[in-house]
C-alpha cells in the first residue's frame, strides 16, 4: 500500500471519528425537558411555609387525588390579603394568611384551599349535587350564606379532613368519622388517608 492510500484511509477514519463525536455531542445536548413535578409556584413563603405547601400537595398525590390544576400560592404576613380570613382561593390562585397558626392548622388550611382548586377541576356536577343533597346544602357558593353553610366550604373541609392529620372539619353540624369518610369517598372516589377510619 503506498503512502497516499494510507494517508487517505487515515484521513477518512479521522473524519468519520470526528463526525461521530460531533453528532453525539449535538444529539446528547438535545435532552427532553424534565417533566414538571408539581403544577405549583409559591410566593412570599418562609422555608417552613414552603414545606407546608409541599406537604399538602404530596398528601393529594398520596391520597390518589391527582389532577391538581396549576396553582400560584401567595403567603402573607397579615390577613388583609385574605379579606380578614385565613385563606382564599380564586381561579388558580391561593392566598394564605396563616402566619399566626400552628403548623397543624397551616397544613389544614393549605389542604382546604387546595381542595377548592381540586374540586373545581375534578368533581362532576352530579356528584356535587348528590353531596349537597346529603348535607342539606341550599347553595354551592352563595356569599349571602354563612361560610359553613356553603357547599364549596363544606366539601373543602371534608377533603382537608380526609387528607389531613386529625383536625376536625368546621361544619355547621358535626358528622361522625364514618359519615365523613363516606362523604370524602363521594367527593374524591378515594378512601381517607388520615388514619382515623
Amino acid at each position: 500500500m503506498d503512502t497516499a492510500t494510507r494517508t487517505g484511509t487515515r484521513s477518512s477514519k479521522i473524519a468519520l471519528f470526528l463526525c461521530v463525536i460531533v453528532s453525539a455531542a449535538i444529539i446528547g445536548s438535545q435532552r427532553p425537558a424534565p417533566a414538571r413535578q408539581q403544577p405549583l409556584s409559591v410566593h412570599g413563603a418562609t422555608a417552613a411555609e414552603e414545606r407546608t405547601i409541599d406537604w399538602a400537595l404530596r398528601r393529594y398525590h398520596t391520597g390518589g387525588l391527582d389532577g391538581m390544576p396549576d396553582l400560584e400560592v401567595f403567603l402573607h404576613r397579615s390577613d388583609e390579603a385574605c379579606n380578614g380570613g385565613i385563606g382564599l382561593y380564586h381561579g388558580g390562585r391561593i392566598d394564605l394568611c396563616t402566619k399566626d397558626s400552628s403548623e397543624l392548622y397551616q397544613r389544614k388550611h393549605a389542604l382546604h384551599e387546595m381542595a377548592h382548586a381540586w374540586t373545581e377541576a375534578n368533581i362532576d356536577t352530579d356528584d356535587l349535587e348528590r353531596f349537597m343533597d346529603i348535607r342539606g346544602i341550599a347553595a354551592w357558593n352563595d356569599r349571602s350564606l354563612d361560610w359553613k353553610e356553603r357547599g364549596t366550604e363544606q366539601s373543602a373541609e371534608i377533603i382537608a379532613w380526609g387528607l389531613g392529620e386529625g383536625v376536625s372539619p368546621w361544619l355547621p353540624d358535626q358528622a361522625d368519622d364514618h359519615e365523613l369518610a363516606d362523604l370524602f369517598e363521594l367527593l374524591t372516589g378515594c378512601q381517607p388517608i388520615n388514619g382515623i377510619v
Side-chain angles (χ1 to χ4, degrees):
M1 195 187 275
D2 65 2
T3 307
T5 307
R6 273 188 265 152
T7 304
T9 304
R10 184 178 303 158
S11 295
S12 296
K13 288 180 181 179
I14 291 171
L16 179 60
F17 177 75
L18 290 174
C19 284
V20 169
I21 296 295
V22 169
S23 296
I26 290 171
I27 293 170
S29 67
Q30 294 180 353
R31 293 184 184 109
R36 188 171 182 182
Q37 295 298 312
Q38 301 295 346
L40 180 72
S41 61
V42 180
H43 310 276
T46 65
E49 290 167 332
E50 281 193 33
R51 285 190 300 273
T52 295
I53 300 302
D54 182 60
W55 174 88
L57 198 55
R58 281 185 285 117
R59 293 296 282 187
Y60 277 84
H61 179 70
T62 300
L65 279 68
D66 296 321
M68 182 67 74
D70 289 354
L71 292 175
E72 284 192 280
V73 180
F74 294 84
L75 286 103
H76 305 280
R77 302 298 124 215
S78 75
D79 62 2
E80 291 175 29
C82 299
N83 295 336
I86 296 171
L88 291 173
Y89 168 77
H90 181 72
R93 178 182 171 131
I94 293 174
D95 289 282
L96 291 171
C97 302
T98 57
K99 73 173 185 66
D100 292 329
S101 299
S102 68
E103 182 181 13
L104 183 65
Y105 278 91
Q106 286 179 351
R107 287 177 169 193
K108 178 205 192 292
H109 296 303
L111 288 170
H112 173 101
E113 297 306 329
M114 287 179 182
H116 290 303
W118 190 88
T119 298
E120 189 175 85
N122 293 285
I123 301 179
D124 66 40
T125 305
D126 292 340
D127 287 337
L128 292 178
E129 288 175 3
R130 197 168 324 125
F131 172 77
M132 289 175 58
D133 286 344
I134 291 168
R135 293 291 299 153
I137 299 168
W140 181 249
N141 196 22
D142 183 343
R143 301 270 177 177
S144 69
L145 295 175
D146 185 54
W147 180 89
K148 288 182 179 182
E149 300 292 331
R150 299 180 210 152
T152 186
E153 300 302 343
Q154 289 191 37
S155 67
E157 281 293 296
I158 290 167
I159 291 171
W161 169 84
L163 296 175
E165 297 178 320
V167 177
S168 295
W170 296 339
L171 299 171
D173 56 323
Q174 288 303 315
D176 69 34
D177 291 336
H178 293 289
E179 182 182 352
L180 290 171
D182 289 344
L183 292 168
F184 181 86
E185 187 173 357
L186 168 65
L187 291 167
T188 67
C190 299
Q191 294 293 314
I193 61 169
N194 59 15
I196 294 175
V197 288

